[in-house]
Amino acid sequence: MRITGNINGLNKTILQEINNLYNDQIQEDVIIEEELAKKLANLTARIGREIAVYVNRRGQILAIGIGDDHTVALEEINLRRGEDRLSGVRCIHTHPSGNGMLSDVDIAASQLLKFDAMVAIGVDVDGNVASIGFAWGEVLGSEPKIYLYPDISSIPNHHFSQCIQQYEKNIADGGIKSTAIQQEKAILVSVQLKERKDLWDIRMSELEELAHTAGLVVLQKVIQRKVKPEAGTFIGRGKMAELRLLAQVEKADVIVFDQDLSPSQQFNLENGTGCKIIDRSMLILDIFAQRARSNEGKLQVELAQLRYMLPRLMGQGTVLSRLGGGIGTRGPGETKLETDRRHIRRKINELENQLENVMRTRSLHRKQRKENEVPIIALIGYTNAGKSSLMKSLTGADVFIENQLFATLDTISRQLVLPKGKKVLLSDTVGFIGNLPHHLIAAFRATLEELQEADVLLHVIDGSNPYAEEQIEASIRVLRELNLLDKSLLTVINKMDQIEYPETIERFLLQYDPAVAISAKMKIGLEQLLEKIETILDGEKYMASIKIPFADGKSLAILKREGQIIEEQYKEDGMMIKAVLPVAVWNYFLKEGYLLKKENI
């Protein structure tokens, strides 16, 4: 049988009757046959569910779908799909409510799928045709006119086939302009698991900002609360059906998920919603693809894209062929995504070799800088915190500055002279972001490796952001993953001119000491910043009281190797130690939560 949709609980006899509709033929010049309308009404009343049939211009039924008591999933039947052409298919479906008036969902689906006509048959409780509504043709231009009649005999002869042909001729002659979408429109979806309620708004706000940065127009934001994700679809089946209808009504091009999806989940969601699906990683990769300027940056983006796409090609064969372009498919690697798996693996190997050469070259440059004793100061922090603005204010570098996430993707280095005349190298790096997937960090190791050689890390934070502390925590997690917590870290509280309360600045200065407050844009506090950098490079040390658990041998080894122990005591839950520490080591114990007290020497 060729019936799609909800056939659960229907016996074989009724299913066979529905399947027999394929034998019906509709006259080419009428919008619907009376006999077909009566059959559909009778079957709808018997099963209590909507039924939809799809008819081509020769009057042949191409497909049949069954929904529930209030809706039916409308299938995308591809015959013609030129930019200014109708599909060549009309959709005839039933409304068990008895009302044949087309709904907003009906109209939106007709416009989205470019049906020749959308017909709704209102069915009463006895299985009779109560009313018939339809709209046709005018789905590419102005708002369609909706017709409603009490029965088929009341419908005037509109000469259906002639009207459709004339309408398409008007399009071809330029009389009607297509409403083709130039900018992709998106629905954002986030599944809230066990996070705190206040973090839900942060995640959705950040996803929306990522979407805007990628060039998407955000139509709706959908949140589902679940204990754990569904294995096959990530969201529940009911929510997936809801998204399908929402995408039709809003005429969405893409549905963006805040979490990463497995290849099978992405495949099932695309089939279940009839819409392109991308996840957080793909969205970030798309932004990376737009931002990469240097050869190294493009190599890293392409490598990350191919590594991300390979399991999806392997898992679903040609699933990606349905994407068609736009957000999530652009960039240096976009022409490689449809090629065979062997070529994908071979290309990944080639890119890895090219990046190894880049890293060897960088290593030689770093070695030369070490020999010349040029300290490296690296700007790190959450994306859009103002790192590039600070780079420009300190060095005058011509860098790209924009109020968008990931405005800087490529590493930029410029010479900087400190107040006492010491020359250093200031490097701007790619910004961090909450829940940055591990494979993206791995792909950008050639860029992030610069941080391993830095003498001082300037952790730039946007002090005016209401979620500044959550962003700091996210950046610290990335630093921990990169094993950079033992570096000398200076917190730079940026945008102090936009912070409403002075108490907020004081709290940040105490909480993230050593720290300095500045405004990169207004060039406030830059002299103090440079003096702080100079003090750290000259070897500033602190007297600190630390408590280290007995099980943490690594921290104890770092303390003995880098610090000067003054006093130690053994307690039940760990060692109490008083020691003189360099700034970098002090920062390490601060981030690990072992620091109890600090005194300047």
Side-chain angles (χ1 to χ4, degrees):
M1 292 187 181
R2 295 176 293 159
I3 303 173
T4 62
N6 181 18
I7 62 174
N8 294 333
L10 301 182
N11 61 49
K12 292 184 179 179
T13 302
I14 194 87
L15 286 174
Q16 187 58 55
E17 286 186 54
I18 296 172
N19 198 67
N20 287 341
L21 293 174
Y22 280 109
N23 299 324
D24 284 27
Q25 182 80 21
I26 298 177
Q27 296 180 50
E28 292 184 21
D29 211 31
V30 299
I31 194 166
I32 182 173
E33 292 274 10
E34 183 174 6
E35 186 64 26
L36 176 61
K38 289 180 178 179
K39 286 182 181 180
L40 288 171
N42 178 266
L43 289 166
T44 293
R46 287 161 63 189
I47 67 175
R49 304 175 192 178
E50 286 196 11
I51 302 174
V53 297
Y54 304 89
V55 185
N56 66 15
R57 293 184 183 177
R58 293 190 296 274
Q60 300 168 325
I61 293 178
L62 303 176
I64 301 173
I66 298 177
D68 53 30
D69 61 346
H70 66 281
T71 187
V72 60
L74 299 179
E75 302 296 327
E76 186 171 356
I77 307 297
N78 280 311
L79 286 185
R80 313 177 191 181
R81 191 54 61 82
E83 188 61 45
D84 294 322
R85 298 291 300 277
L86 299 176
S87 66
V89 175
R90 80 195 83 161
C91 172
I92 302 172
H93 70 293
T94 58
H95 285 178
S97 63
N99 187 356
M101 174 59 71
L102 296 184
S103 67
D104 290 340
V105 173
D106 293 336
I107 295 297
S110 183
Q111 292 174 324
L112 180 66
L113 303 179
K114 299 183 181 179
F115 287 135
D116 285 1
M118 172 65 80
V119 183
I121 303 170
V123 181
D124 64 23
V125 293
D126 297 320
N128 300 313
V129 176
S131 60
I132 291 181
F134 64 88
W136 57 359
E138 301 116 330
V139 294
L140 295 184
S142 60
E143 287 295 317
K145 183 176 181 181
I146 301 173
Y147 302 87
L148 183 67
Y149 298 98
D151 52 52
I152 290 182
S153 62
S154 304
I155 300 176
N157 186 357
H158 284 287
H159 301 289
F160 176 71
S161 60
Q162 294 179 30
C163 287
I164 293 299
Q165 291 171 13
Q166 182 60 46
Y167 184 78
E168 291 194 325
K169 184 177 185 299
N170 290 343
I171 297 175
D173 293 342
I176 299 176
K177 293 184 179 180
S178 169
T179 57
I181 300 170
Q182 298 299 318
Q183 194 171 13
E184 285 189 286
K185 297 186 287 188
I187 295 171
L188 308 184
V189 180
S190 180
V191 175
Q192 310 298 352
L193 302 174
K194 297 180 180 179
E195 298 113 329
R196 302 195 322 263
K197 173 68 172 67
D198 59 328
L199 294 181
W200 298 352
D201 294 335
I202 298 175
R203 289 189 60 118
M204 186 56 82
S205 175
E206 188 167 87
L207 182 65
E208 184 173 13
E209 194 171 355
L210 283 168
H212 288 314
T213 300
L216 290 170
V217 175
V218 177
L219 303 173
Q220 294 278 354
K221 292 179 283 187
V222 176
I223 293 177
Q224 184 179 38
R225 297 172 178 85
K226 292 181 70 68
V227 177
K228 63 178 182 179
E230 298 286 336
T233 56
F234 201 79
I235 57 175
R237 297 280 177 178
K239 184 63 69 173
M240 183 165 64
E242 179 185 321
L243 279 177
R244 182 185 183 94
L245 291 176
L246 184 61
Q248 290 180 353
V249 170
E250 297 287 351
K251 304 175 191 174
D253 304 291
V254 58
I255 299 174
V256 182
F257 277 75
D258 186 36
Q259 292 83 3
D260 280 356
L261 303 172
S262 69
S264 60
Q265 286 170 341
Q266 181 181 345
F267 179 75
N268 293 335
L269 284 166
E270 285 186 349
N271 284 338
T273 62
C275 198
K276 181 172 73 175
I277 302 292
I278 67 175
D279 62 13
R280 185 182 180 87
S281 284
M282 187 181 288
L283 184 63
I284 293 174
L285 278 172
D286 186 273
I287 297 170
F288 282 5
Q290 297 178 52
R291 294 284 183 263
R293 295 292 181 267
S294 69
N295 181 56
E296 176 190 340
K298 292 176 180 178
L299 287 174
Q300 290 178 125
V301 169
E302 184 172 2
L303 178 60
Q305 284 181 323
L306 293 178
R307 282 177 174 167
Y308 178 83
M309 294 299 183
L310 182 58
R312 285 154 175 78
L313 288 171
M314 295 182 67
Q316 304 299 342
T318 59
V319 61
L320 295 176
S321 64
R322 301 172 61 236
L323 295 181
I327 300 298
T329 60
R330 74 175 114 232
E334 64 184 338
T335 59
K336 316 293 192 300
L337 301 183
E338 298 285 351
T339 60
D340 65 36
R341 300 165 192 169
R342 283 192 299 260
H343 179 72
I344 293 288
R345 292 194 191 96
R346 187 164 58 246
K347 184 62 179 177
I348 286 175
N349 289 334
E350 291 175 3
L351 291 172
E352 288 175 339
N353 291 335
Q354 291 180 54
L355 280 173
E356 286 296 332
N357 291 333
V358 169
M359 292 170 70
R360 278 195 292 270
T361 302
R362 280 185 174 274
S363 179
L364 290 174
H365 291 166
R366 284 195 297 269
K367 184 178 179 181
Q368 184 176 358
R369 289 198 296 262
K370 284 287 185 182
E371 291 173 353
N372 295 334
E373 296 184 346
V374 178
I376 301 172
I377 313 298
L379 294 168
I380 63 165
Y382 213 78
T383 181
N384 206 29
K387 298 184 297 300
S388 296
S389 295
L390 181 55
M391 163 75 85
K392 184 173 184 178
S393 294
L394 289 175
T395 68
D398 183 18
V399 293
F400 178 70
I401 299 174
E402 187 65 49
N403 185 27
Q404 289 184 330
L405 302 183
F406 300 112
T408 299
L409 189 64
D410 302 303
T411 298
I412 300 169
S413 297
R414 295 291 186 272
Q415 190 180 79
L416 174 66
V417 181
L418 298 178
K420 294 180 182 178
K422 189 177 185 67
K423 293 181 180 179
V424 299
L425 197 67
L426 185 66
S427 292
D428 191 8
T429 60
V430 62
F432 301 148
I433 196 168
N435 304 293
L436 186 64
H438 177 79
H439 58 268
L440 294 188
I441 296 176
F444 279 76
R445 66 191 180 98
T447 294
L448 296 174
E449 196 176 64
E450 285 287 299
L451 303 180
Q452 301 287 352
E453 301 298 325
D455 296 277
V456 179
L457 301 180
L458 296 188
H459 183 191
V460 183
I461 67 173
D462 178 359
S464 67
N465 192 303
Y467 306 122
E469 292 183 66
E470 285 77 16
Q471 293 181 352
I472 293 169
E473 290 175 10
S475 297
I476 294 301
R477 283 195 294 271
V478 176
L479 291 176
R480 181 176 286 110
E481 188 168 351
L482 295 170
N483 294 316
L484 292 171
L485 286 183
D486 58 345
K487 290 284 181 183
S488 294
L489 186 70
L490 175 60
T491 301
V492 181
I493 304 161
N494 192 25
K495 306 184 185 180
M496 64 177 293
D497 56 310
Q498 299 177 31
I499 298 177
E500 186 174 358
Y501 303 105
E503 294 82 4
T504 303
I505 299 176
E506 293 301 322
R507 179 168 58 83
F508 281 150
L509 289 172
L510 288 173
Q511 190 172 351
Y512 300 108
D513 185 49
V516 60
I518 69 158
S519 170
K521 185 176 181 180
M522 305 300 294
K523 297 187 177 181
I524 301 172
L526 299 187
E527 290 182 8
Q528 293 92 320
L529 171 61
L530 295 178
E531 289 172 0
K532 278 278 189 181
I533 294 172
E534 205 161 43
T535 300
I536 292 173
L537 290 175
D538 288 343
E540 182 178 20
K541 295 184 178 181
Y542 298 135
M543 180 76 75
S545 296
I546 306 163
K547 187 176 182 179
I548 302 176
F550 291 121
D552 192 349
K554 174 188 174 183
S555 294
L556 185 59
I558 290 175
L559 178 61
K560 289 181 177 179
R561 184 178 67 247
E562 304 291 344
Q564 179 185 350
I565 297 176
I566 305 299
E567 181 183 320
E568 58 185 9
Q569 295 178 351
Y570 291 86
K571 301 293 184 180
E572 289 185 4
D573 53 350
M575 295 181 64
M576 293 286 296
I577 300 174
K578 188 173 184 179
V580 176
L581 305 176
V583 173
V585 181
W586 179 86
N587 266 303
Y588 170 80
F589 286 109
L590 173 66
K591 300 305 180 291
E592 291 296 323
Y594 295 162
L595 189 69
L596 301 178
K597 185 179 178 184
K598 183 203 85 170
E599 301 173 15
N600 290 333
I601 298 177

